[in-house]
Amino acid sequence: MPGRSSSSSGSTGFISFSGIESALSSLKNFQSCISSGMDTASSVALDLVETQTEVSSEYSMDKAMVEFAMMDRELNHYVKAVQSAINHVKEERPEKIPDLKLLVEKKFLALQNKNSDADFQNNEKFVQFKQQLKELKKQYGLPTDREADGTEGVDEDMIVTQSQTNFICPITQLEMKKPVKNKVCGHTYEEEAIVRMIESKHKRRKKACCPKIGCSHTDVRMSDLIQDEALRRAIESHNKKKHRQSD
């Protein structure tokens, strides 16, 4: 049609989307800033538990993580809304170019209206933060977590013994220094050992099974592994206490 661009390089009608797409790319960089903020808040919260600082301080970090997760969700929704609006115009190629601002706002509000607390379960860093916080408290035998887990009244020595057992890598049978957790089955391993095992299996075109006895997970992948910061801290703390007791 005369006056309309048939180029597929990012323009429709008289509108070029290259500037919008460039701005979107820059906007996505903010996600890395949010991610860094979540890492910092998580680390501080774990420090507070490790030093057994007042619960109110830990709670403030929990609130910070919620706020970061909300910002991340809102940013994702905005990016999706803009991309959806661009795709709509490119695919429909309407005679009259719609008001892109209104179109984006409409799509953004539609996404925002579906918000719920359950969304946070899809935020990997937020979920990891809650799990690590819980695990670290469990390692320290904090009463609140024992009550939450239904383990109040359990002998303290038993908890310590179980914790020490969790310090051992199922591959090396040695105490872990850089533990990583399998997101699929929840088992932990020494990072170097599990990576070496996966690479060795893949070279032979085989799947790597979880080395934990009794585990049914038969396809451990690199993408399944996450740093287990809570366990690493617990191991270090245990060794420091053991060293002090031997002095």
Side-chain angles (χ1 to χ4, degrees):
M1 182 175 178
R4 294 180 65 85
S5 170
S6 59
S7 170
S8 60
S9 61
S11 61
T12 299
F14 297 104
I15 295 181
S16 172
F17 292 107
S18 58
I20 298 175
E21 289 168 345
S22 176
L24 264 185
S25 179
S26 298
L27 192 61
K28 289 177 182 178
N29 290 334
F30 282 107
Q31 288 177 309
S32 64
C33 296
I34 292 174
S35 179
S36 296
M38 295 184 87
D39 287 340
T40 300
S42 179
S43 181
V44 171
L46 293 175
D47 283 340
L48 293 172
V49 172
E50 193 171 0
T51 56
Q52 298 188 26
T53 309
E54 290 183 7
V55 176
S56 58
S57 299
E58 176 202 321
Y59 177 66
S60 66
M61 290 300 100
D62 192 275
K63 284 179 63 179
M65 287 296 286
V66 171
E67 290 174 4
F68 276 125
M70 289 174 66
M71 284 191 289
D72 186 59
R73 178 177 63 186
E74 188 169 343
L75 181 58
N76 280 327
H77 284 174
Y78 188 75
V79 170
K80 286 180 181 178
V82 174
Q83 289 175 330
S84 178
I86 291 174
N87 291 336
H88 172 78
V89 175
K90 284 182 177 180
E91 292 170 6
E92 297 295 326
R93 301 182 67 81
E95 290 292 327
K96 182 179 179 181
I97 301 298
D99 187 322
L100 289 179
K101 182 179 179 181
L102 288 177
L103 186 59
V104 169
E105 287 179 354
K106 181 180 178 181
K107 291 180 178 294
F108 176 69
L109 287 174
L111 289 170
Q112 287 289 88
N113 287 335
K114 296 178 182 178
N115 287 349
S116 73
D117 290 343
D119 295 339
F120 297 144
Q121 298 304 315
N122 297 321
N123 187 304
E124 187 172 329
K125 282 189 178 292
F126 184 78
V127 172
Q128 186 178 341
F129 162 73
K130 300 298 285 186
Q131 289 176 341
Q132 289 187 339
L133 204 59
K134 181 179 178 181
E135 286 299 318
L136 190 60
K137 287 182 178 181
K138 190 185 296 183
Q139 296 289 349
Y140 279 92
L142 296 181
T144 51
D145 283 278
R146 288 205 299 273
E147 291 170 5
D149 294 337
T151 58
E152 62 271 26
V154 175
D155 185 78
E156 189 71 26
D157 291 336
M158 184 183 296
I159 292 175
V160 173
T161 301
Q162 290 173 344
S163 297
Q164 291 174 2
T165 302
N166 294 334
F167 296 167
I168 304 300
C169 171
I171 303 172
T172 65
Q173 293 302 309
L174 299 173
E175 186 175 87
M176 292 178 279
K177 294 181 179 179
K178 291 184 66 178
V180 290
K181 176 178 283 189
N182 188 325
K183 293 186 293 184
V184 178
C185 63
H187 294 128
T188 53
Y189 333 96
E190 179 64 49
E191 182 177 29
E192 184 179 347
I194 188 65
V195 168
R196 191 165 55 240
M197 189 187 87
I198 293 173
E199 289 177 343
S200 175
K201 290 287 186 179
H202 286 182
K203 283 180 181 178
R204 289 177 284 161
R205 299 181 183 278
K206 293 183 178 181
K207 294 180 180 180
C209 298
C210 175
K212 187 74 173 180
I213 295 175
C215 183
S216 59
H217 185 37
T218 59
D219 188 13
V220 181
R221 305 183 182 188
M222 296 289 195
S223 57
D224 296 335
L225 307 176
I226 56 174
Q227 297 292 326
D228 196 333
E229 181 68 13
L231 183 57
R232 183 189 67 78
R233 287 168 178 264
I235 293 172
E236 289 181 355
S237 177
H238 169 72
N239 288 334
K240 286 177 183 177
K241 288 179 181 178
K242 188 167 64 174
H243 181 70
R244 285 197 298 267
Q245 290 172 356
S246 63
D247 288 343

